[in-house]
Amino acid sequence: MLEKTAPGENPRSKEDYLISRAKEALPHDMYAAKSWLITAKSLFPHSFKVQFEAYHIEKLSKNVKEAAKCFSEIFQNFPDDHEIWKEIENITSCLRSEQCNSEGEFLCQMFQHIPQDLQHRLLIMTADHSEDTMEHCKLLLLLLHRFPQTVSTHGPRLVETLLTAEKHSHPGHAVNGFRRLLACDALPLLGAAPVDLNPKLSLRLLCKAVEFYLAYIEQPQDFQIQQPWDKLFQVLELIGKKLNWELSSLFSLPWSRETYSERLQQYAASHITGNCDENLIRQLSTCIIVVFLRILHDHTGFVNSGDVTYCLVEAFIEPVVSTAEPNPKKRKREDAIGTVLTSDGEYGGNGLALSIELWDILHSNAHLKRELIKLSKQLRLDPWLYPFLTDLAVYKCMYHHLLPRLQQEEDNLCKNLRLASTCFFLKDYKTMLDCIVAIASNLPSTRGKVSTTLTVPAVRHVHFLALTKYSVLQYCCRLLLSAIKNLLQDNFSLTGGTGDLALGHALVLMQIDWPQEAATLSTITERIISRGAFGYPLFQSYIICVDILEELTYLWTEHGGGVSLDIAPGSGLLQNRRIATRGADKGVREEVKQAMRRQAARDGIDPLEELLQKFIINEKASILHSLVVS
C-alpha cells in the first residue's frame, strides 16, 4: 500500500514516493528497485522523473540495451528537458573523445543501441542547439562520420560555417581550430563522398588545407596531428579528383621521394608546352610544390637531426679520371646536374638534388613561374624557401648571388663557413681569412673526425660538412691550403721570404688530413729542390707530422739534394749552409737530427687540432702576408 501523509506533514506526490522507495532499495536489491519503478511507470506513464530514474537505474546496472531503450523513450517524449540535454551533451562529448572512462565507454555503447533515426535526430538537434560555433561544427562532423550518407546534405553547410567562423575569429592565422577541422576532418569526408563541389571552391579549400598543413609542420604546435604529410596527400588525392587532376592518383602511392619526383618530371616533360592550359599549370605547380616541400622537409630533418648538424659548402675537385665501365646511374646523375654531392654523414643529401630538380621545373616556363609566385604568397612559403635558396646558390655556384644573402643572415658557424668558401672561390682571400679566424676562435665542442671526401674527381663538388671540431678545422685548413696552391701556381717564380712562407704554411696546413695531401708535399719538395734552399721560422712551432719531417730531413742530405734549410732562426741551425759529405759538419748534422727527433716526438702527443687552431689565430698576419701578393 502507498504510504499515507501524516497530519501536519507536507504532502508528497505518489510518484515521488515510488521513486524514493526505488532509490532506497537500489543499494541492496536492484530487482526491488526496478519493481518499484515498473509500478511507477504504470501509474505515471508520462512522468519525466519516473522515466529518468528508470534510465538511471539501468545505467547503474550496466544494462546497455535497456538503458538505450529508456533513453530513447525520454528523448522522444521530453526532448526539451534540461536533464536530458545534460545527458545528451555527455553522450556527444564521449562520442567525440578519443579516450573515455568507463562511464563514457558505456554511453558510447548505449548510443549504438539507439535506433538510427533517433541517433540522426539527436545529433542534428544537438548541433542546432549549440550556441558555440566550434561545438556546432564538431557535432556536425560527428553526424557526418556516423551517417556518411548525410555528407551531401550537411557537408557544404559545415564547410561554409568553418570558412565564415575562421574569417571572423582568426584572420591571417593559418593554424587555428576551425582550419584544423576543415583540413583534417571535413575535406577528407567531402572528398570521399559523391558531392559536387564548385571547382573554384574546391581549389580554395585545397589551398587552405595545404597552407594549414605546411604552417603546422613548419612551426611546432600545442596539439598533435599524426602523420601530417600523409593527411595532406590524402586531401590532395581526394580534392584533386574532384578537380579532374590527372596527378591526383600519384598521392595514393606509398611515399618515395625518388618515385614522386620522377613521376612529376615525366608529367611535366610530356605536358608543358608554350601555351599551357590554366588548370594544367595550377595542377602541376601545386603538386610539385607540395612534393618539393616534403622532400625538402625530410632532407632538412636528415641534416639537422641528432647531435651533429651539417652545412652545405663548396668543396674541392681533382681531375676526372674516366673508367672503362662507368656506373650508368651515377654517370647520369652527374651529367644531369653537373655537380657531385657528398656528405660526412650516412645521408648523402640526394633530397636536396631532387628538390632542386623540381624547383627547376617550376622555373622552366613563364606560366609556372607566375603560378609559383602566386602560390608562394598564398601559402606563405618564405620560411621554407629562404634556407633552400641559400643552399641552391651554393649548389649552383651562384657566388655573387650568395654573398649578399649570407651577409644578411645572423652570425653563426654555418654562415662563416659559407662566407669563407664563397670568398675563396671569388679569390677574396683577406675576407676568407677573417672568416676562418672567426671560425677557429669558436670551434664546435664535438670532436668528430676528418672527412675523406672533401676532394673527389668531379667537374663541381658540393659537400655536407659535419659541424664538428675536426671536420670544420680540416675544411678551413683545406681552404687556406688551396688558396696557397693557387698563389704558387699563379706565381710560379715566387721567390724569397714570401715564397718560403707560403710553402711553410702549406706544410703546416696539410698535416690535419695527412696523407691525403701527399701529392702536394711532392710538389712542394720539388719546388724547394729547384730553389736549393728553404727557410721557415715557424717550423719548430707547428710542423710535427713524422712523414713531412722525414721528407725535409732527406732534402737536407746529399742524396736528397743537399738543400740549405733555415728552420730555426737564431739557433745556429743550418743557417743557409750546405752540409758537407765528410766530417767537417758532423756536429751540425747531429744537431739537425736531434731537432727533427724532438719535432717527431710531438706527433701524437701535441693535439693537432689545438696546434692548427693556434696557428690560424696567432699567425693571421703571417698567413695573410703569404696570401696577398702584389
Side-chain angles (χ1 to χ4, degrees):
M1 289 181 62
L2 294 180
E3 192 178 76
K4 291 184 179 181
T5 303
E9 290 185 4
N10 293 326
R12 184 168 54 163
S13 70
K14 295 177 180 177
E15 60 185 293
D16 287 342
Y17 171 75
L18 293 171
I19 290 171
S20 67
R21 294 303 299 268
K23 287 181 176 180
E24 290 169 6
L26 184 60
H28 52 83
D29 192 342
M30 180 71 71
Y31 294 105
K34 288 186 177 183
S35 297
W36 281 108
L37 283 174
I38 290 172
T39 303
K41 288 175 73 174
S42 300
L43 294 173
F44 307 103
H46 304 297
S47 169
F48 171 80
K49 288 190 290 185
V50 171
Q51 293 193 30
F52 195 81
E53 191 61 34
Y55 164 67
H56 179 66
I57 287 179
E58 297 298 347
K59 271 182 66 177
L60 291 175
S61 304
K62 302 295 182 184
N63 193 334
V64 174
K65 291 183 179 180
E66 286 301 318
K69 183 178 177 182
C70 291
F71 179 86
S72 299
E73 290 179 4
I74 297 170
F75 181 65
Q76 286 179 295
N77 295 329
F78 309 98
D80 299 321
D81 191 273
H82 175 71
E83 289 293 327
I84 198 63
W85 272 105
K86 284 176 61 178
E87 196 68 9
I88 289 171
E89 288 172 1
N90 288 337
I91 293 171
T92 54
S93 176
C94 294
L95 290 172
R96 294 202 313 268
S97 177
E98 295 180 0
Q99 291 184 338
C100 294
N101 55 23
S102 58
E103 182 182 357
E105 290 176 2
F106 176 84
L107 290 175
C108 289
Q109 293 175 18
M110 186 191 78
F111 183 81
Q112 302 296 334
H113 288 83
I114 296 173
Q116 284 208 343
D117 61 325
L118 287 184
Q119 289 182 17
H120 181 266
R121 182 181 160 199
L122 182 149
L123 293 175
I124 287 287
M125 288 180 64
T126 308
D128 291 341
H129 189 264
S130 176
E131 296 180 359
D132 180 82
T133 307
M134 178 65 74
E135 193 70 16
H136 169 78
C137 293
K138 288 180 178 179
L139 289 166
L140 277 181
L141 277 169
L142 180 59
L143 171 69
L144 301 186
H145 278 293
R146 294 281 173 173
F147 300 96
Q149 69 274 17
T150 66
V151 171
S152 57
T153 304
H154 300 290
R157 178 165 70 103
L158 170 62
V159 166
E160 190 60 38
T161 302
L162 289 169
L163 292 175
T164 303
E166 182 191 34
K167 181 179 179 181
H168 290 295
S169 304
H170 304 279
H173 297 282
V175 180
N176 60 76
F178 294 111
R179 184 78 71 91
R180 182 183 180 186
L181 292 182
L182 177 71
C184 300
D185 298 288
L187 290 186
L189 285 171
L190 262 72
V195 180
D196 290 330
L197 292 176
N198 179 287
K200 187 175 180 181
L201 175 61
S202 295
L203 198 61
R204 181 188 175 199
L205 295 174
L206 181 58
C207 281
K208 282 189 169 292
V210 173
E211 183 191 12
F212 168 80
Y213 279 111
L214 293 181
Y216 171 84
I217 292 165
E218 196 268 334
Q219 184 67 44
Q221 304 293 328
D222 294 334
F223 58 86
Q224 293 293 317
I225 297 176
Q226 299 298 320
Q227 300 176 319
W229 284 111
D230 292 344
K231 287 183 168 59
L232 173 55
F233 277 27
Q234 179 193 27
V235 172
L236 267 167
E237 178 196 0
L238 295 173
I239 304 301
K241 282 181 181 177
K242 292 193 179 296
L243 289 165
N244 296 316
W245 285 3
E246 292 180 65
L247 286 171
S248 64
S249 61
L250 173 65
F251 296 93
S252 65
L253 300 177
W255 170 244
S256 161
R257 57 178 179 264
E258 289 80 10
T259 300
Y260 273 68
S261 178
E262 186 175 350
R263 283 279 298 273
L264 288 170
Q265 291 184 65
Q266 291 172 350
Y267 188 85
S270 60
H271 288 79
I272 294 298
T273 58
N275 296 316
C276 293
D277 173 72
E278 184 180 352
N279 188 53
L280 173 66
I281 290 295
R282 189 168 291 120
Q283 172 190 184
L284 189 59
S285 58
T286 303
C287 294
I288 286 179
I289 282 175
V290 172
V291 173
F292 157 79
L293 291 175
R294 180 164 186 178
I295 293 174
L296 191 61
H297 181 262
D298 290 350
H299 159 76
T300 304
F302 284 128
V303 299
N304 289 328
S305 62
D307 297 330
V308 177
T309 58
Y310 298 84
C311 177
L312 184 70
V313 294
E314 185 89 23
F316 311 96
I317 61 171
E318 58 189 42
V320 179
V321 180
S322 60
T323 57
E325 297 181 2
N327 185 323
K329 290 185 177 180
K330 185 176 181 181
R331 185 77 265 150
K332 180 181 177 183
R333 168 67 67 187
E334 292 177 4
D335 290 343
I337 64 178
T339 300
V340 173
L341 182 62
T342 58
S343 172
D344 286 337
E346 295 181 3
Y347 168 63
N350 68 320
L352 178 64
L354 291 174
S355 298
I356 291 172
E357 289 174 8
L358 294 176
W359 184 256
D360 287 343
I361 295 175
L362 293 171
H363 289 78
S364 64
N365 177 286
H367 301 284
L368 284 169
K369 282 183 183 177
R370 283 195 294 271
E371 191 65 21
L372 172 61
I373 293 171
K374 177 183 171 184
L375 284 172
S376 294
K377 186 176 180 180
Q378 284 182 342
L379 302 177
R380 308 177 196 193
L381 298 184
D382 283 351
W384 291 82
L385 295 182
Y386 191 88
F388 165 74
L389 292 175
T390 303
D391 280 350
L392 177 69
V394 173
Y395 192 90
K396 292 203 168 187
C397 195
M398 299 158 60
Y399 303 128
H400 292 288
H401 178 71
L402 177 61
L403 201 55
R405 291 186 68 86
L406 291 173
Q407 290 168 342
Q408 293 174 8
E409 292 182 2
E410 292 184 8
D411 194 45
N412 57 49
L413 177 59
C414 190
K415 170 190 173 176
N416 285 330
L417 282 167
R418 284 171 160 170
L419 273 174
S421 171
T422 303
C423 291
F424 166 76
F425 286 97
L426 291 174
K427 296 195 173 182
D428 179 3
Y429 296 146
K430 183 179 184 303
T431 307
M432 177 197 75
L433 180 58
D434 288 339
C435 293
I436 289 175
V437 171
I439 293 167
S441 301
N442 192 25
L443 288 171
S445 57
T446 304
R447 184 178 175 84
K449 59 184 179 179
V450 297
S451 171
T452 58
T453 55
L454 275 183
T455 301
V456 297
V459 177
R460 273 202 71 247
H461 176 207
V462 290
H463 180 75
F464 278 105
L465 182 73
L467 298 183
T468 61
K469 180 181 289 186
Y470 243 109
S471 297
V472 169
L473 192 59
Q474 177 196 15
Y475 183 73
C476 291
C477 290
R478 188 69 70 85
L479 281 177
L480 290 169
L481 180 59
S482 299
I484 292 171
K485 285 182 184 179
N486 291 344
L487 173 73
L488 294 174
Q489 186 175 4
D490 295 341
N491 300 272
F492 189 80
S493 60
L494 196 65
T495 59
T498 301
D500 279 2
L501 203 59
L503 295 176
H505 291 342
L507 292 174
V508 174
L509 293 165
M510 69 173 62
Q511 295 178 103
I512 191 167
D513 50 10
W514 182 266
Q516 291 189 50
E517 289 293 337
T520 302
L521 178 60
S522 298
T523 303
I524 290 174
T525 54
E526 289 173 9
R527 181 74 65 93
I528 292 173
I529 290 170
S530 70
R531 293 166 59 181
F534 173 63
Y536 186 54
L538 300 176
F539 179 87
Q540 288 188 326
S541 297
Y542 298 111
I543 297 179
I544 62 173
C545 175
V546 172
D547 291 339
I548 295 175
L549 294 171
E550 287 179 349
E551 186 67 23
L552 290 174
T553 304
Y554 178 72
L555 294 183
W556 167 72
T557 65
E558 181 181 4
H559 295 295
V563 173
S564 175
L565 301 179
D566 184 0
I567 55 177
S571 68
L573 176 61
L574 297 183
Q575 294 180 6
N576 296 320
R577 298 165 57 192
R578 292 182 180 274
I579 301 303
T581 57
R582 292 192 167 91
D585 293 311
K586 183 177 180 182
V588 175
R589 285 202 301 272
E590 186 59 33
E591 190 177 349
V592 171
K593 290 178 182 177
Q594 290 299 325
M596 289 299 190
R597 287 193 188 104
R598 285 194 297 272
Q599 289 296 102
R602 294 168 59 190
D603 191 5
I605 296 176
D606 290 4
L608 186 59
E609 72 275 16
E610 293 180 12
L611 182 144
L612 290 170
Q613 184 181 20
K614 179 181 176 183
F615 169 73
I616 291 171
I617 295 171
N618 293 351
E619 311 302 335
K620 177 183 177 182
S622 177
I623 296 169
L624 181 62
H625 183 67
S626 69
L627 290 175
V628 181
V629 179
S630 58

